[in-house]
């Protein structure tokens, strides 16, 4: 393993075994650069982002694009505001009476906005590919 990677792990108090299996395996094959490992360690130190890093799909996107969560928050935030405004304009005085329809429409807008950012986002994956991948991963 690269001495720079070992130094980063030592400085953070982690070992290769404490990392996710895909990243740990990539460390030993030389696929992980010191910059990527430093990015992983920085992202993992945040409470919310650290929790999301346990899901391979989020980990792959956050390693490839550290501003992924900002883009996602902006897209979903704008989507919620515009959809709520459109629903209020469309329904007028019956807005509160039709709150169930409004909530369903806003939820669909949130899902659509999430997928609009999720699908084209760059990924950095160290997972096994093809037949050697052990299971279906919904978030991967």
């Amino acid at each position: 393993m690269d001495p720079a990677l070992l130094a980063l792990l030592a400085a953070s108090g982690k070992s290769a075994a404490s990392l996710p299996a895909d990243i740990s395996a990539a460390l030993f094959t030389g696929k992980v650069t010191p910059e990527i490992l430093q990015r992983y360690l920085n992202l993992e130190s945040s409470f919310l982002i650290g929790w999301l890093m346990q899901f391979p799909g989020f980990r792959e996107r956050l390693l490839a694009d550290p501003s992924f969560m900002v883009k996602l928050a902006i897209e979903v935030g704008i989507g919620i505001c515009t959809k709520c405004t459109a629903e209020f304009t469309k329904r007028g005085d019956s807005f509160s009476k039709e709150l169930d329809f409004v909530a369903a429409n806003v939820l669909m807008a949130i899902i659509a906005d999430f997928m609009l950012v999720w699908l084209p986002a760059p990924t950095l994956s160290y997972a096994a590919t093809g037949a050697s991948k052990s299971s279906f991963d919904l978030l991967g």
Side-chain angles (χ1 to χ4, degrees):
M1 189 182 325
D2 183 1
L5 297 174
L6 288 172
L8 282 171
L9 287 172
S12 67
K14 294 193 176 282
S15 66
S18 68
L19 300 175
D22 58 339
I23 293 180
S24 180
L27 280 173
F28 291 109
T29 59
K31 294 179 182 177
V32 177
T33 64
E35 293 80 19
I36 296 297
L37 181 59
Q38 183 64 53
R39 186 180 302 162
Y40 174 82
L41 295 171
N42 290 342
L43 290 168
E44 190 183 47
S45 66
S46 167
F47 177 71
L48 176 64
I49 302 296
W51 180 76
L52 289 173
M53 291 291 280
Q54 71 180 331
F55 302 107
F58 275 99
R59 183 171 57 242
E60 293 168 0
R61 284 161 178 81
L62 288 166
L63 287 176
D65 182 8
S67 64
F68 173 74
M69 290 302 290
V70 172
K71 295 172 184 176
L72 185 62
I74 290 170
E75 183 66 34
V76 171
I78 290 171
I80 290 171
C81 292
T82 56
K83 188 61 178 174
C84 288
T85 302
E87 289 291 330
F88 186 76
T89 302
K90 177 182 173 185
R91 299 185 190 283
D93 293 335
S94 64
F95 181 83
S96 59
K97 293 180 214 167
E98 299 177 1
L99 209 50
D100 52 343
F101 291 112
V102 171
N105 287 340
V106 170
L107 179 62
M108 290 304 297
I110 291 170
I111 293 169
D113 289 337
F114 177 86
M115 294 308 291
L116 184 67
V117 176
W118 180 269
L119 291 174
T123 59
L124 181 60
S125 177
Y126 296 113
T129 58
S132 62
K133 194 164 184 180
S134 61
S135 65
F136 174 75
D137 184 7
L138 183 62
L139 294 176

